[in-house]
Amino acid sequence: MSGAVVFGLTAATATTAAAADNVLRSDADVARSCFERLLPTGTRGTAHREVTSTVAGLVQARLTAHGSGTGDWDLAVFDKKTGAVVAASAALRSAELAESFVTKDQQLVVQACRYAGTSRTVKLGVDFLAINNQGGPTAAPRAEIVRVETPTRQQKDRLLALDLDVTEKADATGVEVVLADDTDRKTLADSGLRSTVVQADLTARSIANAKRDKDFAGRGKASVLPSGRTSYRHLYEYDYEIKDLARRNPGLVKAFTLPNATWEGREVSALEIATDVDNATDGKAVNVLMGVHHAREWPAGEHAIEWAHELVKGYRSGGEIRALVGKTRNIVIPIVNVDGFSISREAEPKGDFTRFDYEMKRKNCNVNDSPEAFRTGVCKANPAGRQRGTDPNRNYAGFWGGAGASTAWSSDTYRGSAPFSEPETRNIRALVSTRQVTNLITLHTYSNLVLRVPGVADVRPPLDEPVYKALGDKMASRNGYTSQPSWALYDTTGSTEDWSYFATGGYGFTFEIGSSEFHPPYETGVIAEYAGLAPAPGAGKGGNRQAFLDMLANAADPAAHSTLIGSAPKGYQLQLRKAFQTPTSPVVNADGTVGPPLYVADTLTSNLTSTGGRFSWAVNPSTRPYVAGRWGRDPKGPAQAGVTLPNPPGVPAANTNFPEDMTAERIPFHVDGLPKVDNGKLQVSISWATPATDWDLYIFDAAGNVVTSSASGGTTAEHAVLLDPPAGDYTAAIVNYSQAGPETDDWTNLRVDFASPLPTTYGPKEPYQLTCSDKRGRLIGLTDVYIDRSQTIDVGDICQRSARTNKERKR
């Protein structure tokens, strides 16, 4: 099993003491950090218990609500001898899980802190789980990053089919891949795909980065980040900052919990930032920023929480940010995958329990899809290692089940058992489905990219493509990243914005932060990338901070989305609702067969509460982009006539190392352009007789660049396609990759064919159902509303008019 670290688990557990002693009490609430330091016994707002670890393994301390009242209790476990924090939890209510590594006979102090609320008591449970480490840290397999050469789409598909740990660092000719151990190395070698080493020892690199981060933070000087932070946060620090920002900024910041707890029982915390923040139905455009779908991508969470600090600080300081915050509602979810992140973050090199396998975890903690033998143990220490779980960013409904996601439970890109099978994706679905989210960014690492829909090459761009691309290009000009559609990396299905955009029409982007490493040194991967400092590519251009501001400005711009205006009595509620079904991709089954698509039902419901008189409501277009149509252009002339080119005499020598070895047959051809012809598509094709023979096809432009290629195996033809080919001279390079036997099986029928560009297509219009209810919740009236992007529609005084009509009918 690739990359797994084998553990034996023993529940050595026990509660802290007798059952009668597991209820903790404090008669006062004090808003302060529970994990910052061990406070003396009897300190106001705290309760303590001392325990001794009976095992070398894990400590799990949990709090659960007890008694009457509501409240927020936090939890921390400290080493009694040193006072160092061992584990902590600071969620928004009293469901806490503090979990980390301990040694046998280690003396611990459990500190519970009543942060806020009326609940004076809470229940504590402490368990110890032994980890029988087979081999110890020195036996951990060597992990590395390699760049796999994939100049063709077929080679990318072949790579994805290997179920290796594919990163988002990719371009037209290659993809970086994590090889966790010798099994992964053999899998790649057996595939025939060529690779070069990028990072030879990720464990050593991680240890070096941790030392560099410690030294940097130890200088004691605040950074230029809005928070001044100098080191990566732990999950408990994120949760505490979220509620502390809300406590310190009433009326502007609200902390809330997303509806679904995770597989490990943790709650997912989020922030909302707006003027009059408690009035979530005020009709302002909603701008969402989220991080860490993938556990190991720590900078994603750091950028998100710093953006929250930026908005609060900027609003208090006045100027541009104050004006933009006043026009929008901003939601920040720093950590979407809290279980996975906690595992990755706590597994950072720490002596006896160094576990690279866990530090590089990508997925969540779903155990249900694993074979029975790998379901044992908590997520932080289980026989399947990092492989247990689902990739949340392959679990959304958008094109789910197709290419670019795996059917294998052990794969790092495992898509899950069904669309939205995971609590993490259901949380984002619930948020987006109940708000008019006009703008959304989801943060990842690494590749220095600003990605937009679609994630699948065969899906044509949406009608919004020109303005969508312009917005992505503008943000990329700030952070120095490349702006491109997601499929330009490789096909991915089940990703966040392929669902959110195509279902709602709200712009969605993925940022891939940084040029290398999932969590590089904090100074470069967080501070420089966020603030636009060297060596980040956005140095001097504003960095991700300015890119986020561009997205916020777009949300605040009424011309960028749709607007409903009208009037309604004070306290009356307007609701927009739309229910529909959308097909997934044809579903690839585990045996490689392809079944029909699934139909996923979505309901979008958003509300506006009238303050009396005129209202303005920022909304997304009523027709979802999935059915609205696809972008294209009208031909400005005929397509160029196709041509058959001659096969030169002889057969070139076999060559399995192209383009390092340039041995090939070369046949030039010319592509015309406007005003003579308008070519929307170029296709170069060759064929031969026997499937056991393999010819590859590469197309070069006049500058010597490969602009398209085709290099599949087991076929009798190759077809290289280029959309909107620029006019000029080209060369077809035909490579003899292998022959079936001593007889030569030469290629034939070299054709260059052209097609006109595809015009824009339009689908059927879809309406919102707009209803009006009075203060008592009684339905006053309803109507259908059809609205396009950038359109403003006046629905008039629909509530009053409907109320008068109803009274007249009763007479």
mmCIF file of all heavy atoms in Angstrom, residues 507-550:
data_model
loop_
_atom_site.group_PDB
_atom_site.id
_atom_site.type_symbol
_atom_site.label_atom_id
_atom_site.label_comp_id
_atom_site.label_asym_id
_atom_site.label_seq_id
_atom_site.Cartn_x
_atom_site.Cartn_y
_atom_site.Cartn_z
ATOM 1 N N TYR A 507 -18.977 33.938 -9.684
ATOM 2 C CA TYR A 507 -17.608 33.703 -10.146
ATOM 3 C C TYR A 507 -16.827 32.904 -9.101
ATOM 4 O O TYR A 507 -16.849 33.233 -7.911
ATOM 5 C CB TYR A 507 -16.886 35.021 -10.399
ATOM 6 C CG TYR A 507 -17.401 35.799 -11.579
ATOM 7 C CD1 TYR A 507 -17.673 37.159 -11.469
ATOM 8 C CD2 TYR A 507 -17.606 35.193 -12.809
ATOM 9 C CE1 TYR A 507 -18.138 37.897 -12.552
ATOM 10 C CE2 TYR A 507 -18.074 35.913 -13.897
ATOM 11 C CZ TYR A 507 -18.346 37.263 -13.761
ATOM 12 O OH TYR A 507 -18.806 37.987 -14.837
ATOM 13 N N GLY A 508 -16.111 31.876 -9.538
ATOM 14 C CA GLY A 508 -15.287 31.082 -8.637
ATOM 15 C C GLY A 508 -13.904 30.875 -9.214
ATOM 16 O O GLY A 508 -13.749 30.593 -10.408
ATOM 17 N N PHE A 509 -12.885 31.031 -8.380
ATOM 18 C CA PHE A 509 -11.492 30.856 -8.792
ATOM 19 C C PHE A 509 -10.755 29.996 -7.778
ATOM 20 O O PHE A 509 -11.082 30.005 -6.581
ATOM 21 C CB PHE A 509 -10.761 32.205 -8.890
ATOM 22 C CG PHE A 509 -11.240 33.093 -9.999
ATOM 23 C CD1 PHE A 509 -12.275 34.001 -9.789
ATOM 24 C CD2 PHE A 509 -10.660 33.045 -11.254
ATOM 25 C CE1 PHE A 509 -12.725 34.830 -10.806
ATOM 26 C CE2 PHE A 509 -11.099 33.879 -12.281
ATOM 27 C CZ PHE A 509 -12.140 34.773 -12.052
ATOM 28 N N THR A 510 -9.746 29.294 -8.250
ATOM 29 C CA THR A 510 -8.774 28.626 -7.389
ATOM 30 C C THR A 510 -7.444 29.339 -7.531
ATOM 31 O O THR A 510 -6.969 29.557 -8.654
ATOM 32 C CB THR A 510 -8.606 27.145 -7.771
ATOM 33 O OG1 THR A 510 -9.768 26.414 -7.371
ATOM 34 C CG2 THR A 510 -7.402 26.534 -7.078
ATOM 35 N N PHE A 511 -6.842 29.719 -6.405
ATOM 36 C CA PHE A 511 -5.473 30.230 -6.389
ATOM 37 C C PHE A 511 -4.558 29.091 -5.945
ATOM 38 O O PHE A 511 -4.795 28.479 -4.898
ATOM 39 C CB PHE A 511 -5.306 31.388 -5.397
ATOM 40 C CG PHE A 511 -5.786 32.721 -5.884
ATOM 41 C CD1 PHE A 511 -6.730 32.839 -6.892
ATOM 42 C CD2 PHE A 511 -5.316 33.887 -5.296
ATOM 43 C CE1 PHE A 511 -7.181 34.078 -7.326
ATOM 44 C CE2 PHE A 511 -5.752 35.134 -5.719
ATOM 45 C CZ PHE A 511 -6.692 35.230 -6.737
ATOM 46 N N GLU A 512 -3.534 28.814 -6.722
ATOM 47 C CA GLU A 512 -2.465 27.889 -6.328
ATOM 48 C C GLU A 512 -1.281 28.746 -5.895
ATOM 49 O O GLU A 512 -0.574 29.318 -6.714
ATOM 50 C CB GLU A 512 -2.088 26.964 -7.480
ATOM 51 C CG GLU A 512 -3.179 25.997 -7.901
ATOM 52 C CD GLU A 512 -3.379 24.867 -6.914
ATOM 53 O OE1 GLU A 512 -2.570 24.741 -5.971
ATOM 54 O OE2 GLU A 512 -4.349 24.097 -7.083
ATOM 55 N N ILE A 513 -1.077 28.827 -4.577
ATOM 56 C CA ILE A 513 -0.120 29.774 -4.003
ATOM 57 C C ILE A 513 1.288 29.192 -4.008
ATOM 58 O O ILE A 513 1.514 28.084 -3.529
ATOM 59 C CB ILE A 513 -0.527 30.132 -2.561
ATOM 60 C CG1 ILE A 513 -1.914 30.776 -2.544
ATOM 61 C CG2 ILE A 513 0.503 31.047 -1.919
ATOM 62 C CD1 ILE A 513 -2.498 30.921 -1.154
ATOM 63 N N GLY A 514 2.236 29.942 -4.516
ATOM 64 C CA GLY A 514 3.640 29.567 -4.437
ATOM 65 C C GLY A 514 4.108 28.726 -5.601
ATOM 66 O O GLY A 514 3.330 28.041 -6.259
ATOM 67 N N SER A 515 5.396 28.767 -5.849
ATOM 68 C CA SER A 515 5.971 28.056 -6.990
ATOM 69 C C SER A 515 6.397 26.646 -6.650
ATOM 70 O O SER A 515 6.566 25.815 -7.544
ATOM 71 C CB SER A 515 7.182 28.830 -7.519
ATOM 72 O OG SER A 515 8.178 28.925 -6.510
ATOM 73 N N SER A 516 6.572 26.356 -5.367
ATOM 74 C CA SER A 516 7.028 25.024 -4.969
ATOM 75 C C SER A 516 6.658 24.775 -3.513
ATOM 76 O O SER A 516 6.538 25.716 -2.727
ATOM 77 C CB SER A 516 8.549 24.887 -5.145
ATOM 78 O OG SER A 516 9.225 25.789 -4.286
ATOM 79 N N GLU A 517 6.431 23.525 -3.176
ATOM 80 C CA GLU A 517 6.188 23.053 -1.816
ATOM 81 C C GLU A 517 4.757 23.334 -1.343
ATOM 82 O O GLU A 517 4.183 24.378 -1.608
ATOM 83 C CB GLU A 517 7.182 23.641 -0.816
ATOM 84 C CG GLU A 517 8.635 23.296 -1.126
ATOM 85 C CD GLU A 517 9.547 23.729 -0.010
ATOM 86 O OE1 GLU A 517 9.446 23.155 1.095
ATOM 87 O OE2 GLU A 517 10.354 24.668 -0.224
ATOM 88 N N PHE A 518 4.234 22.353 -0.606
ATOM 89 C CA PHE A 518 2.880 22.483 -0.058
ATOM 90 C C PHE A 518 2.851 23.460 1.103
ATOM 91 O O PHE A 518 1.898 24.212 1.259
ATOM 92 C CB PHE A 518 2.371 21.111 0.386
ATOM 93 C CG PHE A 518 2.258 20.135 -0.733
ATOM 94 C CD1 PHE A 518 3.131 19.067 -0.833
ATOM 95 C CD2 PHE A 518 1.290 20.290 -1.714
ATOM 96 C CE1 PHE A 518 3.040 18.165 -1.882
ATOM 97 C CE2 PHE A 518 1.193 19.394 -2.771
ATOM 98 C CZ PHE A 518 2.070 18.328 -2.850
ATOM 99 N N HIS A 519 3.865 23.429 1.961
ATOM 100 C CA HIS A 519 3.981 24.443 3.020
ATOM 101 C C HIS A 519 5.452 24.837 3.147
ATOM 102 O O HIS A 519 6.173 24.334 3.997
ATOM 103 C CB HIS A 519 3.397 23.974 4.355
ATOM 104 C CG HIS A 519 3.720 22.558 4.742
ATOM 105 N ND1 HIS A 519 2.910 21.500 4.445
ATOM 106 C CD2 HIS A 519 4.766 22.025 5.422
ATOM 107 C CE1 HIS A 519 3.433 20.381 4.928
ATOM 108 N NE2 HIS A 519 4.557 20.680 5.525
ATOM 109 N N PRO A 520 5.869 25.772 2.298
ATOM 110 C CA PRO A 520 7.257 26.233 2.302
ATOM 111 C C PRO A 520 7.531 27.090 3.530
ATOM 112 O O PRO A 520 6.636 27.322 4.356
ATOM 113 C CB PRO A 520 7.334 27.067 1.023
ATOM 114 C CG PRO A 520 5.949 27.568 0.824
ATOM 115 C CD PRO A 520 5.048 26.467 1.293
ATOM 116 N N PRO A 521 8.746 27.577 3.686
ATOM 117 C CA PRO A 521 9.028 28.467 4.811
ATOM 118 C C PRO A 521 8.024 29.617 4.886
ATOM 119 O O PRO A 521 7.628 30.186 3.864
ATOM 120 C CB PRO A 521 10.448 28.972 4.511
ATOM 121 C CG PRO A 521 11.067 27.856 3.728
ATOM 122 C CD PRO A 521 9.956 27.300 2.889
ATOM 123 N N TYR A 522 7.610 29.943 6.101
ATOM 124 C CA TYR A 522 6.559 30.934 6.310
ATOM 125 C C TYR A 522 6.918 32.283 5.690
ATOM 126 O O TYR A 522 6.063 32.966 5.115
ATOM 127 C CB TYR A 522 6.320 31.104 7.817
ATOM 128 C CG TYR A 522 5.064 31.838 8.168
ATOM 129 C CD1 TYR A 522 3.844 31.176 8.250
ATOM 130 C CD2 TYR A 522 5.079 33.205 8.451
ATOM 131 C CE1 TYR A 522 2.675 31.843 8.580
ATOM 132 C CE2 TYR A 522 3.927 33.884 8.786
ATOM 133 C CZ TYR A 522 2.725 33.203 8.845
ATOM 134 O OH TYR A 522 1.577 33.872 9.177
ATOM 135 N N GLU A 523 8.160 32.636 5.784
ATOM 136 C CA GLU A 523 8.615 33.939 5.296
ATOM 137 C C GLU A 523 8.346 34.099 3.802
ATOM 138 O O GLU A 523 7.962 35.185 3.344
ATOM 139 C CB GLU A 523 10.104 34.104 5.599
ATOM 140 C CG GLU A 523 10.666 35.469 5.260
ATOM 141 C CD GLU A 523 12.139 35.587 5.609
ATOM 142 O OE1 GLU A 523 12.767 34.553 5.947
ATOM 143 O OE2 GLU A 523 12.669 36.713 5.539
ATOM 144 N N THR A 524 8.528 33.018 3.033
ATOM 145 C CA THR A 524 8.326 33.113 1.583
ATOM 146 C C THR A 524 6.927 32.677 1.171
ATOM 147 O O THR A 524 6.284 33.328 0.350
ATOM 148 C CB THR A 524 9.375 32.253 0.855
ATOM 149 O OG1 THR A 524 9.302 30.903 1.333
ATOM 150 C CG2 THR A 524 10.764 32.799 1.077
ATOM 151 N N GLY A 525 6.447 31.561 1.733
ATOM 152 C CA GLY A 525 5.172 31.002 1.289
ATOM 153 C C GLY A 525 3.965 31.762 1.758
ATOM 154 O O GLY A 525 2.893 31.680 1.141
ATOM 155 N N VAL A 526 4.102 32.514 2.855
ATOM 156 C CA VAL A 526 2.963 33.267 3.388
ATOM 157 C C VAL A 526 3.212 34.765 3.290
ATOM 158 O O VAL A 526 2.500 35.489 2.596
ATOM 159 C CB VAL A 526 2.667 32.858 4.847
ATOM 160 C CG1 VAL A 526 1.507 33.688 5.408
ATOM 161 C CG2 VAL A 526 2.342 31.367 4.930
ATOM 162 N N ILE A 527 4.235 35.265 3.964
ATOM 163 C CA ILE A 527 4.446 36.713 4.041
ATOM 164 C C ILE A 527 4.704 37.308 2.661
ATOM 165 O O ILE A 527 4.034 38.267 2.244
ATOM 166 C CB ILE A 527 5.609 37.032 5.003
ATOM 167 C CG1 ILE A 527 5.272 36.556 6.415
ATOM 168 C CG2 ILE A 527 5.898 38.531 5.000
ATOM 169 C CD1 ILE A 527 6.426 36.661 7.397
ATOM 170 N N ALA A 528 5.673 36.750 1.939
ATOM 171 C CA ALA A 528 6.026 37.319 0.637
ATOM 172 C C ALA A 528 4.881 37.180 -0.363
ATOM 173 O O ALA A 528 4.579 38.125 -1.111
ATOM 174 C CB ALA A 528 7.281 36.648 0.097
ATOM 175 N N GLU A 529 4.234 36.019 -0.403
ATOM 176 C CA GLU A 529 3.159 35.810 -1.363
ATOM 177 C C GLU A 529 1.952 36.697 -1.053
ATOM 178 O O GLU A 529 1.306 37.221 -1.964
ATOM 179 C CB GLU A 529 2.730 34.333 -1.373
ATOM 180 C CG GLU A 529 3.766 33.373 -1.913
ATOM 181 C CD GLU A 529 3.940 33.462 -3.423
ATOM 182 O OE1 GLU A 529 3.070 34.049 -4.087
ATOM 183 O OE2 GLU A 529 4.951 32.933 -3.927
ATOM 184 N N TYR A 530 1.625 36.851 0.224
ATOM 185 C CA TYR A 530 0.478 37.677 0.580
ATOM 186 C C TYR A 530 0.748 39.155 0.308
ATOM 187 O O TYR A 530 -0.069 39.851 -0.313
ATOM 188 C CB TYR A 530 0.099 37.480 2.046
ATOM 189 C CG TYR A 530 -1.140 38.262 2.456
ATOM 190 C CD1 TYR A 530 -2.405 37.699 2.325
ATOM 191 C CD2 TYR A 530 -1.052 39.567 2.936
ATOM 192 C CE1 TYR A 530 -3.550 38.414 2.658
ATOM 193 C CE2 TYR A 530 -2.186 40.287 3.269
ATOM 194 C CZ TYR A 530 -3.432 39.706 3.127
ATOM 195 O OH TYR A 530 -4.556 40.432 3.456
ATOM 196 N N ALA A 531 1.882 39.640 0.764
ATOM 197 C CA ALA A 531 2.157 41.075 0.719
ATOM 198 C C ALA A 531 2.772 41.532 -0.601
ATOM 199 O O ALA A 531 2.856 42.741 -0.853
ATOM 200 C CB ALA A 531 3.077 41.457 1.875
ATOM 201 N N GLY A 532 3.192 40.593 -1.444
ATOM 202 C CA GLY A 532 3.834 40.981 -2.692
ATOM 203 C C GLY A 532 5.254 41.460 -2.481
ATOM 204 O O GLY A 532 5.629 42.562 -2.878
ATOM 205 N N LEU A 533 6.053 40.615 -1.824
ATOM 206 C CA LEU A 533 7.454 40.924 -1.552
ATOM 207 C C LEU A 533 8.340 39.887 -2.235
ATOM 208 O O LEU A 533 7.927 38.752 -2.472
ATOM 209 C CB LEU A 533 7.719 40.915 -0.038
ATOM 210 C CG LEU A 533 6.854 41.831 0.827
ATOM 211 C CD1 LEU A 533 7.160 41.587 2.310
ATOM 212 C CD2 LEU A 533 7.091 43.296 0.468
ATOM 213 N N ALA A 534 9.583 40.270 -2.528
ATOM 214 C CA ALA A 534 10.533 39.314 -3.095
ATOM 215 C C ALA A 534 10.724 38.166 -2.101
ATOM 216 O O ALA A 534 10.717 38.395 -0.886
ATOM 217 C CB ALA A 534 11.859 40.011 -3.388
ATOM 218 N N PRO A 535 10.838 36.926 -2.582
ATOM 219 C CA PRO A 535 11.007 36.504 -3.976
ATOM 220 C C PRO A 535 9.703 36.132 -4.689
ATOM 221 O O PRO A 535 9.757 35.490 -5.734
ATOM 222 C CB PRO A 535 11.890 35.265 -3.817
ATOM 223 C CG PRO A 535 11.405 34.635 -2.552
ATOM 224 C CD PRO A 535 11.058 35.796 -1.651
ATOM 225 N N ALA A 536 8.561 36.480 -4.131
ATOM 226 C CA ALA A 536 7.287 36.113 -4.752
ATOM 227 C C ALA A 536 7.152 36.770 -6.123
ATOM 228 O O ALA A 536 7.635 37.892 -6.337
ATOM 229 C CB ALA A 536 6.121 36.533 -3.860
ATOM 230 N N PRO A 537 6.489 36.120 -7.083
ATOM 231 C CA PRO A 537 6.335 36.719 -8.421
ATOM 232 C C PRO A 537 5.492 37.987 -8.407
ATOM 233 O O PRO A 537 5.540 38.763 -9.365
ATOM 234 C CB PRO A 537 5.660 35.607 -9.231
ATOM 235 C CG PRO A 537 4.999 34.744 -8.223
ATOM 236 C CD PRO A 537 5.880 34.778 -7.015
ATOM 237 N N GLY A 538 4.715 38.195 -7.326
ATOM 238 C CA GLY A 538 3.924 39.416 -7.217
ATOM 239 C C GLY A 538 4.661 40.552 -6.535
ATOM 240 O O GLY A 538 4.035 41.565 -6.160
ATOM 241 N N ALA A 539 5.975 40.417 -6.374
ATOM 242 C CA ALA A 539 6.764 41.459 -5.705
ATOM 243 C C ALA A 539 6.602 42.791 -6.427
ATOM 244 O O ALA A 539 6.803 42.882 -7.636
ATOM 245 C CB ALA A 539 8.236 41.059 -5.649
ATOM 246 N N GLY A 540 6.205 43.794 -5.688
ATOM 247 C CA GLY A 540 6.011 45.129 -6.248
ATOM 248 C C GLY A 540 4.707 45.319 -6.977
ATOM 249 O O GLY A 540 4.411 46.413 -7.479
ATOM 250 N N LYS A 541 3.876 44.271 -7.056
ATOM 251 C CA LYS A 541 2.601 44.357 -7.779
ATOM 252 C C LYS A 541 1.391 44.277 -6.851
ATOM 253 O O LYS A 541 0.261 44.413 -7.299
ATOM 254 C CB LYS A 541 2.511 43.219 -8.799
ATOM 255 C CG LYS A 541 3.664 43.154 -9.788
ATOM 256 C CD LYS A 541 3.587 41.882 -10.632
ATOM 257 C CE LYS A 541 4.796 41.722 -11.531
ATOM 258 N NZ LYS A 541 4.768 40.431 -12.270
ATOM 259 N N GLY A 542 1.638 44.014 -5.587
ATOM 260 C CA GLY A 542 0.537 43.946 -4.630
ATOM 261 C C GLY A 542 0.283 42.571 -4.063
ATOM 262 O O GLY A 542 -0.390 42.429 -3.041
ATOM 263 N N GLY A 543 0.788 41.527 -4.725
ATOM 264 C CA GLY A 543 0.648 40.181 -4.201
ATOM 265 C C GLY A 543 -0.798 39.729 -4.094
ATOM 266 O O GLY A 543 -1.710 40.296 -4.704
ATOM 267 N N ASN A 544 -1.012 38.690 -3.304
ATOM 268 C CA ASN A 544 -2.367 38.172 -3.140
ATOM 269 C C ASN A 544 -3.272 39.149 -2.401
ATOM 270 O O ASN A 544 -4.487 39.142 -2.612
ATOM 271 C CB ASN A 544 -2.335 36.823 -2.423
ATOM 272 C CG ASN A 544 -2.018 35.683 -3.365
ATOM 273 O OD1 ASN A 544 -2.419 35.692 -4.523
ATOM 274 N ND2 ASN A 544 -1.275 34.697 -2.889
ATOM 275 N N ARG A 545 -2.710 39.983 -1.564
ATOM 276 C CA ARG A 545 -3.532 41.002 -0.902
ATOM 277 C C ARG A 545 -4.274 41.845 -1.936
ATOM 278 O O ARG A 545 -5.485 42.053 -1.841
ATOM 279 C CB ARG A 545 -2.646 41.905 -0.037
ATOM 280 C CG ARG A 545 -3.410 43.081 0.590
ATOM 281 C CD ARG A 545 -2.458 44.085 1.229
ATOM 282 N NE ARG A 545 -3.192 45.188 1.839
ATOM 283 C CZ ARG A 545 -3.599 46.273 1.199
ATOM 284 N NH1 ARG A 545 -3.340 46.395 -0.123
ATOM 285 N NH2 ARG A 545 -4.264 47.226 1.822
ATOM 286 N N GLN A 546 -3.552 42.322 -2.942
ATOM 287 C CA GLN A 546 -4.188 43.162 -3.952
ATOM 288 C C GLN A 546 -5.112 42.347 -4.845
ATOM 289 O O GLN A 546 -6.159 42.844 -5.283
ATOM 290 C CB GLN A 546 -3.134 43.867 -4.798
ATOM 291 C CG GLN A 546 -3.701 44.890 -5.772
ATOM 292 C CD GLN A 546 -4.504 45.981 -5.091
ATOM 293 O OE1 GLN A 546 -4.013 46.628 -4.155
ATOM 294 N NE2 GLN A 546 -5.744 46.186 -5.522
ATOM 295 N N ALA A 547 -4.757 41.096 -5.107
ATOM 296 C CA ALA A 547 -5.649 40.237 -5.892
ATOM 297 C C ALA A 547 -6.971 40.031 -5.159
ATOM 298 O O ALA A 547 -8.052 40.071 -5.774
ATOM 299 C CB ALA A 547 -4.975 38.896 -6.175
ATOM 300 N N PHE A 548 -6.908 39.817 -3.845
ATOM 301 C CA PHE A 548 -8.136 39.671 -3.061
ATOM 302 C C PHE A 548 -8.956 40.961 -3.093
ATOM 303 O O PHE A 548 -10.195 40.927 -3.152
ATOM 304 C CB PHE A 548 -7.815 39.321 -1.612
ATOM 305 C CG PHE A 548 -7.112 37.998 -1.417
ATOM 306 C CD1 PHE A 548 -6.458 37.716 -0.231
ATOM 307 C CD2 PHE A 548 -7.090 37.032 -2.421
ATOM 308 C CE1 PHE A 548 -5.813 36.514 -0.031
ATOM 309 C CE2 PHE A 548 -6.438 35.815 -2.233
ATOM 310 C CZ PHE A 548 -5.791 35.556 -1.032
ATOM 311 N N LEU A 549 -8.274 42.102 -3.061
ATOM 312 C CA LEU A 549 -8.981 43.383 -3.141
ATOM 313 C C LEU A 549 -9.651 43.554 -4.498
ATOM 314 O O LEU A 549 -10.762 44.111 -4.589
ATOM 315 C CB LEU A 549 -8.010 44.536 -2.878
ATOM 316 C CG LEU A 549 -7.646 44.793 -1.418
ATOM 317 C CD1 LEU A 549 -6.520 45.818 -1.316
ATOM 318 C CD2 LEU A 549 -8.865 45.289 -0.633
ATOM 319 N N ASP A 550 -9.017 43.100 -5.557
ATOM 320 C CA ASP A 550 -9.641 43.157 -6.881
ATOM 321 C C ASP A 550 -10.929 42.329 -6.898
ATOM 322 O O ASP A 550 -11.935 42.736 -7.486
ATOM 323 C CB ASP A 550 -8.683 42.628 -7.944
ATOM 324 C CG ASP A 550 -7.523 43.574 -8.219
ATOM 325 O OD1 ASP A 550 -7.662 44.782 -7.926
ATOM 326 O OD2 ASP A 550 -6.496 43.107 -8.725
#
